[in-house]
Structure formats: C-alpha cells, structure tokens
Amino acid sequence: MNRTSIIILTHNQIYLTYLCLESIRRHTPEPYEIIVVDNGSTDRTVKYLLGQPDVLLIQNETNLGFAKGCNQGYAAATGDTILFLNNDTIVTPGWLTRMLSALYSDTIIGMVGPVSNYVSGRQQIPVHYQDFSEAEAFSIQHAAQHKGQRSDERRIVGFCMLVKREVLEEVGCFDEQYGLGNYEDDDLCLRVLNSGYRIQIVYDSFIHHFGHMTMGILNESSLHELLVLNREKARQKWGADIHSLIYKEPATMSVIVPIGPATSCRQLKQMMESVRHLADEWILLGNQPSDEVKDYVSGLTCRVITSELGDSGVPDWSYMRSAATKQYLLWMNPEEWFAGAQARRLAGVKLQLDGDANGISILYNMKLSSADSGLVTLRRIRMVRREAEFSWNAAIHEFIPNPAAIRNTDICLTLQ
C-alpha cells in the first residue's frame, strides 16, 4: 500500500503542534510518516518533538521560510504521496482516506486539497461550531452530506496540499525565492496546471484551521509588505499577474482528422480517446468511411464538421477557416495518438496558449521505411492558429505558418 509523507513546519506554537499531531494519530489509519521541519523555535517545541518516536525531526537554527522548510521535508520523504500540512490544523475522521481516493481516481489528477473553516478561495465553507473541539462532530455530518463530492479547481491553498510524488518530480517543489511565505503555493499550482494535471477540492474531507498562527509573528504592515513583495516576485517570474494565469481560460481547439474507406475504427477510437479532452470540435475530412466509423463518429458529443477532400487530397483551408470556430487547428491522422502523459502535457500547453504563437510543434516518432526496425524522431508543426497565415505541406502533414512564430514542445506523437 502507498505511504503518505506528512510534512509539517513548526515555529513555536507548541500547543497547536501537539493538537495537530494527536489528531493525525487518532484519525489516520493509512500508512504514513511524519516529518517535522522546525524553523528556529525558541519555546519548548523542539524538546517536545524530540520526545515523539514517530516523528522525523529536521532542525533549522533560524526561520528559513515555508518553501525552504517544505523542500527540506520533501527531500527526506519516502512516501509515494506527499502531504504538506500546516501545524495550526486539526484533522478529522476520513480526512486522508477521502483525499487519497480523489487523488488516485485518475492519472491526470495531480493535487488535491480539503475544505476548511478558515482558508482563502473556494475551499472555505461555512461552519456552525464555535469551538475547535466541535470540529470532529461537524466533519462527520459534513462528510455524510457531501459524500464523494469533488470539483476541479485551479488553485488550492498550501495549508494542506496532497500531491503525487511523481508530479513533484516532474514540476519541482516550492520556489524558495518567496522567503517566509505567500505565493509559493500559487506558484506550485500554476506549474501543476501547466503540466496538464488537474487539481481538485475534496468536499467530504474537512480540516479545522486556526489560520495565520505562524505568520502571526509578523505585524500587519510587515505581512502586507511580504504579500506585495512576493506578488511582484511572481509577476517577474511569470510575466503577468500569477492569479490571472492560474484562472486563465484555455485556448479552444478544432481537431482535424482525415478519414476514408480504409480507416480503421479501432485506430480512430484510440486516437480520438487520446485527445478527447483537448477537442472542442472535430473536423472530419474524407470520403465514404465505413459504417462502423460513421456509427462511432455519430456518438461524439462536441460539434462535428464534415468536409470532402478534393482529388488532390489537399484540404480546402478557406472552408476550414470559415467552418471551424475554435482558436487553434490540430491535425491528427487516425493511426496516430498521444500515449499517456503526452496528451496530458499537451493539455498544459493548451492552457498556456495566448494567441502569440502561430504554430506549435511536436515530436513525431516514425519509421523511415518498412525495412527499418528502429524509429527516428522528427519535429512537425501540427497545430496552427486558425486566423494566422499558413500553408500546408501535404506530403508530411505539417502546417507552415507565416510569420513563423513557433512554440516548440517536446511532446511526442506516436504511431499505433
């Protein structure tokens, strides 16, 4: 069974840390390890933690900040799943069980978070209890009312983040330039989204959060200065306000597929399934497809445009421009597909497109001849902005945009 590495930062606040650890022990039947990174506590916190046999303690002489401390904990973690948890929290029955269920319900889900009484954004829910001792009873009732409820979200807050280790290995952990804290969780969310992963809120997992207890060491003016400073750091890094990028709507895409009498329905299905989450509409080009292909195509849920190919086999691109309604055109042959993570990463590219790129190139694995046993990797421009000027190389099925404002990716398309 997978193990979860629970990473907690401390900076004084010994009573809150005690409540947090006790709640974890009481409500977590899954395999887990606890890693506590102490950022220069001056009260009895370190002495208390040294006496906890189930805690791996990492000690810092000074407060190195949220991102640095979490990264230290991650470096020591051995779990398949990584949980970043504030010490000013109290977990409740089923908290981790339900988040793990959501996280591993789909390979494309990379990160999840719970709901709480005190958190920014859509994770905050109204609560009727007055004292934290009543949080457990509330959570049981709330979980029953919202059993299995999940929703995709662009952002979850760092007070409790559950992430697959493989995701952090791909996108990296927290950016330490944000110092004491703020915006490092937004930064991580954006990188997860840009890699094509989904983020979810788990509504039947509830955690009580005291809120800003550790950051409370800063006075109001210092906290405001830190927010302003880190917001500017994020803007400098990403070239725009980070929240505008997190909540940016993805570009829309028309997927063009040539079909004919010889088109294999099995291959067509596999190709379409690999890009189904990318296609906002389909454009089918060709003549006399089989009845099996016709039946399959009739079941597509998004808009489908059909067009005949002329004797030359070259699409009527003037018709395509007028018939298609989406921002980008993606050419896919029925015998091709994006395997596994490649389609997910293309979804991340789709999220980032802003109209500046006229064409997007991908890698393409193919045999140079039937006699060759190995594959060669070529680069092809398979996606083009619909309103851009472009020509079409029919021999190799590649767009040639003009001007050639190309975004190159290392996403790989393969033959079935």
Side-chain angles (χ1 to χ4, degrees):
M1 181 182 290
N2 290 352
R3 177 159 71 160
T4 300
S5 298
I6 303 174
I7 299 169
I8 301 170
L9 268 59
T10 56
H11 180 75
N12 299 323
Q13 309 289 351
I14 183 174
Y15 180 56
L16 295 179
T17 302
Y18 167 80
L19 291 176
C20 180
L21 293 181
E22 287 301 305
S23 70
I24 292 171
R25 292 162 179 151
R26 190 165 59 252
H27 298 308
T28 315
E30 295 82 9
Y32 67 88
E33 64 180 357
I34 300 175
I35 302 169
V36 176
V37 180
D38 184 76
N39 265 338
S41 291
T42 56
D43 62 2
R44 293 178 294 112
T45 294
V46 172
K47 182 178 180 181
Y48 162 69
L49 292 171
L50 287 171
Q52 306 304 304
D54 60 345
V55 171
L56 171 62
L57 177 62
I58 299 172
Q59 297 182 59
N60 295 321
E61 293 184 1
T62 59
N63 189 348
L64 300 183
F66 182 83
K68 177 67 173 179
C70 285
N71 290 352
Q72 287 178 301
Y74 171 57
T78 63
D80 309 281
T81 312
I82 309 298
L83 178 77
F84 300 104
L85 182 69
N86 279 16
N87 73 319
D88 60 342
T89 57
I90 296 177
V91 304
T92 61
W95 72 290
L96 184 57
T97 304
R98 299 182 184 110
M99 283 200 291
L100 285 170
S101 177
L103 185 66
Y104 286 97
S105 64
D106 195 317
T107 57
I108 205 170
I109 297 175
M111 177 191 296
V112 300
V115 292
S116 181
N117 61 299
Y118 190 99
V119 60
S120 66
R122 298 172 187 173
Q123 289 175 266
Q124 181 162 327
I125 61 170
V127 300
H128 55 68
Y129 62 84
Q130 300 298 316
D131 187 85
F132 70 84
S133 62
E134 303 169 352
E136 182 175 323
F138 169 83
S139 74
I140 294 172
Q141 180 185 35
H142 178 81
Q145 293 172 342
H146 298 273
K147 183 178 180 180
Q149 185 177 342
R150 320 277 189 258
S151 70
D152 281 1
E153 182 51 67
R154 299 290 186 86
R155 170 185 180 265
I156 57 174
V157 180
F159 87 103
C160 181
M161 282 178 157
L162 186 67
V163 196
K164 293 172 181 172
R165 174 182 283 276
E166 63 199 60
V167 173
L168 292 176
E169 289 175 348
E170 179 178 341
V171 308
C173 204
F174 291 107
D175 188 336
E176 296 177 12
Q177 72 164 318
Y178 296 105
L180 288 179
N182 287 310
Y183 285 93
E184 70 287 320
D185 49 356
D186 296 315
D187 188 286
L188 179 57
C189 285
L190 183 54
R191 282 181 278 131
V192 168
L193 292 170
N194 285 349
S195 290
Y197 289 105
R198 289 161 53 197
I199 298 173
Q200 286 193 337
I201 296 176
V202 183
Y203 285 94
D204 55 1
S205 176
F206 176 84
I207 291 180
H208 176 81
H209 186 205
F210 289 97
H212 285 308
M213 299 301 290
T214 302
M215 292 299 289
I217 61 173
L218 300 175
N219 59 44
E220 186 174 342
S221 62
S222 297
L223 181 58
H224 177 72
E225 289 176 5
L226 183 61
L227 284 167
V228 172
L229 176 64
N230 283 356
R231 183 168 63 241
E232 178 59 20
K233 286 181 178 179
R235 191 192 69 79
Q236 290 287 342
K237 175 179 179 177
W238 294 100
D241 175 74
I242 193 168
H243 289 148
S244 71
L245 297 177
I246 287 174
Y247 291 105
K248 175 184 176 294
E249 287 301 313
T252 55
M253 192 176 299
S254 303
V255 181
I256 305 170
V257 185
I259 58 175
T263 299
S264 163
C265 193
R266 179 192 62 80
Q267 290 183 330
L268 182 67
K269 286 180 180 179
Q270 185 167 355
M271 181 278 290
M272 286 188 160
E273 285 298 320
S274 77
V275 294
R276 183 179 292 275
H277 63 295
L278 298 171
D280 299 292
E281 68 183 4
W282 299 94
I283 299 177
L284 305 179
L285 301 174
N287 303 300
Q288 301 177 337
S290 68
D291 290 340
E292 186 182 12
V293 168
K294 287 180 181 178
D295 289 342
Y296 173 68
V297 169
S298 67
L300 296 175
T301 55
C302 64
R303 182 170 181 252
V304 177
I305 303 166
T306 58
S307 176
E308 299 295 328
L309 278 169
D311 294 337
S312 65
V314 177
D316 183 349
W317 289 112
S318 62
Y319 169 76
M320 288 312 159
R321 291 177 188 275
S322 60
T325 62
K326 307 310 175 185
Q327 294 167 287
Y328 284 85
L329 306 175
L330 170 66
W331 182 281
M332 291 289 296
N333 293 311
E335 66 275 12
E336 302 166 340
W337 72 313
F338 288 102
Q342 304 304 313
R344 184 256 302 163
R345 294 175 60 215
L346 188 58
V349 171
K350 182 182 176 185
L351 179 64
Q352 298 170 61
L353 293 174
D354 54 11
D356 289 340
N358 287 334
I360 295 86
S361 75
I362 58 175
L363 301 178
Y364 186 66
N365 288 333
M366 65 173 295
K367 291 183 178 181
L368 288 179
S369 71
S370 59
D372 292 327
S373 58
L375 296 176
V376 296
T377 300
L378 307 172
R379 182 171 291 281
R380 293 287 183 262
I381 302 171
R382 281 298 192 88
M383 193 185 308
V384 68
R385 189 167 60 86
R386 180 172 60 89
E387 295 183 355
E389 293 297 324
F390 63 86
S391 56
W392 174 249
N393 188 327
I396 58 174
H397 289 179
E398 180 179 34
F399 294 105
I400 304 174
N402 182 27
I406 307 301
R407 173 171 180 164
N408 294 321
T409 76
D410 60 354
I411 298 168
C412 194
L413 180 68
T414 57
L415 291 171
Q416 297 184 43

